[in-house]
Amino acid sequence: MPNRRILRLSGSDTDSFLQGLVTNDIAGMDSGLVYTALLTPQGKYLADFFLKRDGEAVLLDVAEDLADGLVKRLGMYKLRADVAIEDSGLNLQRGTGPAPDGALPDPRHPDMGWRAYTAQEESDDGTDWDAIRVGHCIPETGIELTPDSYILEAGFEVLNGVDFKKGCYVGQEVTARMKHKTELRKGLRSVAVDGAAPVGTAITSGGKPAGTLFTQSNGRGIAYLRLDRVGDDMQADGAIVRLIP
């Protein structure tokens, strides 16, 4: 089963509809892909995806597991807006080698390569995506990004996934408050891992809960940590975990 679904949104209200919902400024589509998210009114993660201009329409690249729920949520917000949401019939190709015609850079990080959308079968060039993600602490849908996630704790500001000047969107108030009025006490961080543990293994420090270990590659990992409990004695199911400064 494909890992991604490419939707097409069309209609005269598409831009204003998306701009009032998502975390990033869709004006960025005029120069490339836009990485963004849809949140709950309480500021928690619902879905992350990429947006791309497609003539007068917009392509939306989302994880297959989230696609049906996202379509339903967008339909709930659509009301009488002139917006049609349908499968595009296109598939994702991605890689880190020479980019084909029509491909665009992944906006999260230069090392994440390019993404293209064609009628060909979904494919990539064999890149070790986990190694790149772990190296730059880039979360993945359904692994580090869950319904309990807040996007600032997940690093969306560094990943070019949120714009604090664009105006209102769903969950904007909570996100702005986390940015301007609080100090983040939890979040995703890069860690060194001596050993291995299943994704989702609890991390302890001094016998107390300190977080969760997620994707691992080449002796490193992505962990969600309580920053006030980070220590030199963190463990995850027998693996030794240390914060990488």
Side-chain angles (χ1 to χ4, degrees):
M1 186 178 72
N3 183 48
R4 308 291 295 186
R5 189 185 301 179
I6 315 304
L7 303 171
R8 179 180 283 111
L9 282 69
S10 60
S12 61
D13 295 329
T14 296
D15 278 17
S16 59
F17 171 70
L18 287 171
Q19 186 74 345
L21 290 179
V22 303
T23 61
N24 214 341
D25 190 341
I26 69 165
M29 290 191 294
D30 294 336
S31 57
L33 288 177
V34 168
Y35 180 58
T36 189
L38 180 66
L39 309 180
T40 69
Q42 294 75 34
K44 288 194 173 184
Y45 167 92
L46 280 172
D48 62 315
F49 42 87
F50 299 86
L51 299 174
K52 177 188 180 296
R53 287 279 181 213
D54 183 40
E56 296 297 318
V58 174
L59 297 181
L60 189 156
D61 165 6
V62 65
E64 177 65 41
D65 289 348
L66 298 182
D68 287 343
L70 179 60
V71 170
K72 183 177 180 180
R73 182 63 64 119
L74 293 176
M76 181 182 72
Y77 283 122
K78 187 166 72 72
L79 300 176
R80 297 182 179 179
D82 179 21
V83 180
I85 305 168
E86 59 188 354
D87 284 350
S88 68
L90 302 176
N91 296 307
L92 170 68
Q93 290 80 45
R94 63 175 181 165
T96 53
D101 291 343
L104 293 171
D106 189 314
R108 294 174 294 177
H109 192 282
D111 287 354
M112 290 296 288
W114 50 264
R115 303 174 81 89
Y117 307 98
T118 75
Q120 299 175 19
E121 291 187 4
E122 184 172 298
S123 64
D124 66 47
D125 62 358
T127 292
D128 188 343
W129 299 105
D130 279 352
I132 296 174
R133 291 198 306 104
V134 167
H136 300 292
C137 201
I138 300 173
E140 178 61 64
T141 306
I143 304 177
E144 291 85 14
L145 293 172
T146 74
D148 290 325
S149 298
Y150 290 101
I151 60 169
L152 296 192
E153 293 182 346
F156 267 57
E157 188 171 6
V158 176
L159 300 173
N160 303 307
V162 59
D163 188 303
F164 293 102
K165 299 179 180 179
K166 62 158 287 186
C168 294
Y169 55 87
V170 178
Q172 182 264 344
E173 183 177 352
V174 174
T175 305
R177 187 164 61 245
M178 292 181 72
K179 166 68 174 176
H180 298 294
K181 296 185 178 181
T182 64
E183 180 179 353
L184 294 181
R185 299 179 180 180
K186 302 177 182 178
L188 295 179
R189 294 292 187 273
S190 295
V191 294
V193 184
D194 183 2
V199 169
T201 298
I203 298 173
T204 60
S205 178
K208 297 180 179 180
T212 307
L213 181 61
F214 292 107
T215 307
Q216 300 147 65
S217 179
N218 300 321
R220 298 181 63 163
I222 299 175
Y224 180 74
L225 295 173
R226 287 187 53 168
L227 302 179
D228 62 340
R229 291 189 177 173
V230 169
D232 296 330
D233 59 346
M234 294 190 295
Q235 293 187 323
D237 195 26
I240 304 300
V241 179
R242 296 184 178 88
L243 181 67
I244 297 175

